[in-house]
Structure formats: C-alpha cells, structure tokens
Amino acid sequence: MEVEYNIAGRILAKDGTWVISLAEILASPEAGSGATCAADLSEDVLSAYCKAVSAQNACKVYLWKDREEYGNANVFNGGSDYEVVNEVCFLCIYDSGCEVLRERTNCWNEKIDAVVSYNV
C-alpha cells in the first residue's frame, strides 16, 4: 500500500496572502532536527508552527496535512481499481497566536477550500 502526504497552508496577513511550503516548516525550530519529510511532522509540530507564524505576523494562518492511503478497492469481475482507500486530514487555524480550530477528519476538510483559492 502506498501512502502520500500533502502539507500546505496560507498566511492571511493585512498586506497579502502567502503560501506556506513544506520546506519552510521543515526548516523551522518547531520541526526540530529530526524531521526530514511530511511523514515526520506530527499534528502537534504543525500546530506549534502555525501558532508561531500566526503570533509573529499578527494574522490568521491555516495549515493542513492530508494523508492518503492508496490500495486496491472495488474489485469487480477480477479487475481492480487503485484508489484512495483511507484518508486523514488535519487542519489547524490560528489567529494572532490564538487557536481558532484544530481538527482531524477522515476526508478532505472543506474548510481548506475557503483559503486555497486566495490569490498569492
């Protein structure tokens, strides 16, 4: 079974909107020296990073981690489809260093769609 991780986020400041990259998170003090990939970043680490960036910029920050597990599903007449069979999505939102939301869902969190389309 193959597992894919996606980590991204947005900083929504008064003077513009910026994308948060995985490289920025891995380079941050919150990630520690042991994190080298998305799989290494726990929800607590992501939440600490989100809080720190939000407090530093006095703005709202969205950060999410999506874990998709691929496998064979829906086998019909001897054939199979390779698709997402399990998904976990973590989302945290901080505003000026204060937690607004921190939740885990078993599918893509639609609250993320509200900020994905922001012009960067």
Side-chain angles (χ1 to χ4, degrees):
M1 205 166 295
E2 184 178 325
V3 177
E4 181 180 304
Y5 293 91
N6 297 298
I7 295 180
R10 298 286 187 274
I11 300 170
L12 308 178
K14 292 177 186 174
D15 58 345
T17 301
W18 298 282
V19 172
I20 298 171
S21 72
L22 175 59
E24 290 174 281
I25 299 168
L26 289 172
S28 72
E30 290 79 18
S33 60
T36 60
C37 64
D40 295 339
L41 297 171
S42 70
E43 293 175 7
D44 289 336
V45 167
L46 294 174
S47 189
Y49 176 83
C50 188
K51 180 179 182 176
V53 171
S54 174
Q56 177 184 5
N57 294 295
C59 65
K60 190 176 272 190
V61 176
Y62 286 68
L63 190 60
W64 57 90
K65 177 180 181 178
D66 187 48
R67 180 188 183 277
E68 295 177 331
E69 204 173 291
Y70 289 86
N72 291 328
N74 301 326
V75 177
F76 298 105
N77 300 326
S80 67
D81 292 328
Y82 195 66
E83 62 184 34
V84 175
V85 294
N86 187 30
E87 183 173 17
V88 176
C89 187
F90 170 71
L91 169 65
C92 62
I93 305 170
Y94 280 81
D95 192 355
S96 299
C98 297
E99 185 177 296
V100 174
L101 176 82
R102 182 177 169 161
E103 67 183 12
R104 183 190 304 180
T105 55
N106 62 354
C107 59
W108 178 254
N109 194 323
E110 293 181 5
K111 294 172 186 158
I112 298 167
D113 292 334
V115 297
V116 169
S117 61
Y118 273 93
N119 293 329
V120 181

